Amino acid sequence: MSREIQIANAAGFCFGVKKAIQKAETMDKAFIFGSLIHNPQEVARLASLNKKIVYDLKDVEDNKVVITAHGLDINVIGQMKEKGLEIVDTTCPLVTKIYNEGLKLQGQGLRIVIVGDPKHVEVKGIASRMKDPIVIYHEEDIVQVPEGSKVGVVCQSTLLLEKFDQFVDLLKARCAEVVPINTICKPTKDRQTAAAALSKQMDIMIVIGGRNSSNTHKLADTCMMNLPNATHHIETAQEMDPKWFEGKQKVGITAGASTPDYLIEEVIARIRTYDELIPA
Ligand code: SF4
């Protein structure tokens, strides 16, 4: 009997990543500063098309450099300009919106708190535009925020929805004034909401996306809340173990914002090959 396979209502490439890739594809060759997207398979495909990822400005062997959808530290952009490089900026408009929201709150005399992974290029980009910001990612980081202070809060675009509310509550218990602006982007919200809803109805969830993709990890975390023993985060179809599907009739699929459609299609095709072999 064929298994039921359902893809989450919102899954895979977001418009920001899609636009960035399309832009790089229009260039004969491109030096992309940092990972354009957090998906090793798509990065390898782009490399085969002469789009090279570099992590150091000295490796840019052209007069042009591409800034990724996640944005970039403003100081690094300054160095690019000093070197006379032409900048092809594919920063997602929803990341630029976070810069603007942060600056607006700062203009109101608030100290900026950014909820997000301090090592992520997007968070570094936001922090670099603020005056003396505080980045918090784990609960224990809250001690960095001075008690009684007045803060404006923004967050990484791909943060887990619950995490933002949880941090705002912690800040409210500590600070004299807290003005939060939830800057999780709509595509991320849609993907998280759809993954949560689908994982409630399915027997197993397959979450496809780079192991270096923060939004894919968050989708997996979301599914795990409903299917703690039947959520599997994979990068490619080859990683699936047919045993996972034993006794599972309803298969849900979701994918991070950096996951191209062809990887999703490969997963579906492989699950179909299990229908005859593995009892649902
Ligand atoms: S995840 Fe959101 S902010 Fe990031 S590139 Fe996609 S749409 Fe833009």
Side-chain angles (χ1 to χ4, degrees):
M1 191 173 62
S2 286
R3 286 182 171 77
E4 179 186 332
I5 300 179
Q6 269 197 52
I7 304 177
N9 281 342
F13 269 173
C14 62
F15 76 91
V17 165
K18 212 180 264 177
K19 232 176 87 202
I21 290 177
Q22 282 166 353
K23 181 72 197 169
E25 279 179 335
T26 61
M27 298 164 72
D28 287 344
K29 63 172 176 180
F31 287 87
I32 300 164
F33 196 81
S35 197
L36 174 62
I37 52 164
H38 292 136
N39 186 277
Q41 291 71 31
E42 183 63 5
V43 168
R45 186 187 73 84
L46 287 167
S48 73
L49 300 173
N50 219 2
K51 320 299 178 219
K52 201 171 162 198
I53 309 284
V54 294
Y55 294 93
D56 196 315
L57 283 183
K58 70 176 175 352
D59 298 324
V60 179
E61 298 158 15
D62 194 11
N63 58 352
K64 273 189 202 164
V65 63
V66 179
I67 294 180
T68 77
H70 309 291
L72 189 61
D73 186 319
I74 200 160
N75 302 304
V76 181
I77 296 177
Q79 290 164 16
M80 289 172 169
K81 287 181 181 160
E82 269 169 33
K83 277 183 76 116
L85 292 170
E86 184 188 323
I87 295 170
V88 179
D89 189 355
T90 72
T91 303
C92 176
L94 299 184
V95 172
T96 309
K97 192 167 165 247
I98 304 176
Y99 304 158
N100 295 337
E101 298 287 17
L103 291 170
K104 206 164 74 190
L105 292 170
Q106 192 167 272
Q108 293 165 22
L110 301 163
R111 176 133 182 226
I112 299 304
V113 173
I114 304 162
V115 186
D117 180 355
K119 293 199 271 326
H120 195 284
V121 64
E122 181 188 308
V123 174
K124 287 182 184 170
I126 303 165
S128 70
R129 286 161 172 86
M130 307 297 142
K131 190 174 160 278
D132 208 10
I134 304 167
V135 179
I136 54 175
Y137 195 41
H138 302 289
E139 247 182 80
E140 56 269 28
D141 300 336
I142 204 92
V143 295
Q144 294 173 40
V145 182
E147 278 175 313
S149 55
K150 296 181 174 188
V151 297
V153 193
V154 293
C155 65
Q156 188 174 349
S157 64
T158 52
L159 197 76
L160 202 58
L161 289 166
E162 297 78 23
K163 194 157 179 168
F164 185 76
D165 298 338
Q166 179 199 334
F167 273 97
V168 169
D169 286 346
L170 289 171
L171 288 165
K172 280 185 176 160
R174 188 173 177 86
C175 300
E177 188 180 350
V178 179
V179 184
I181 298 185
N182 184 333
T183 51
I184 299 172
C185 72
K186 186 173 182 306
T188 294
K189 281 183 194 153
D190 290 349
R191 275 155 190 70
Q192 287 180 18
T193 311
L198 188 61
S199 57
K200 279 189 190 134
Q201 302 159 24
M202 297 288 114
D203 301 324
I204 177 171
M205 281 300 295
I206 303 297
V207 184
I208 313 164
R211 294 216 161 69
N212 56 348
S213 156
S214 100
N215 75 83
T216 308
H217 277 288
K218 282 156 198 160
L219 288 179
D221 291 346
T222 300
C223 296
M224 238 169 248
M225 288 178 201
N226 295 320
L227 289 171
N229 301 315
T231 295
H232 302 278
H233 176 180
I234 56 166
E235 283 191 351
T236 64
Q238 289 74 20
E239 290 171 30
M240 285 190 294
D241 183 342
K243 287 200 196 102
W244 298 345
F245 297 85
E246 270 172 16
K248 307 279 196 267
Q249 167 58 23
K250 294 178 176 178
V251 181
I253 292 180
T254 185
S258 306
T259 307
D261 288 348
Y262 63 85
L263 289 177
I264 303 175
E265 282 151 21
E266 281 169 20
V267 167
I268 295 171
R270 197 165 181 114
I271 296 171
R272 280 279 160 256
T273 66
Y274 301 152
D275 283 344
E276 296 300 315
L277 298 170
I278 317 287

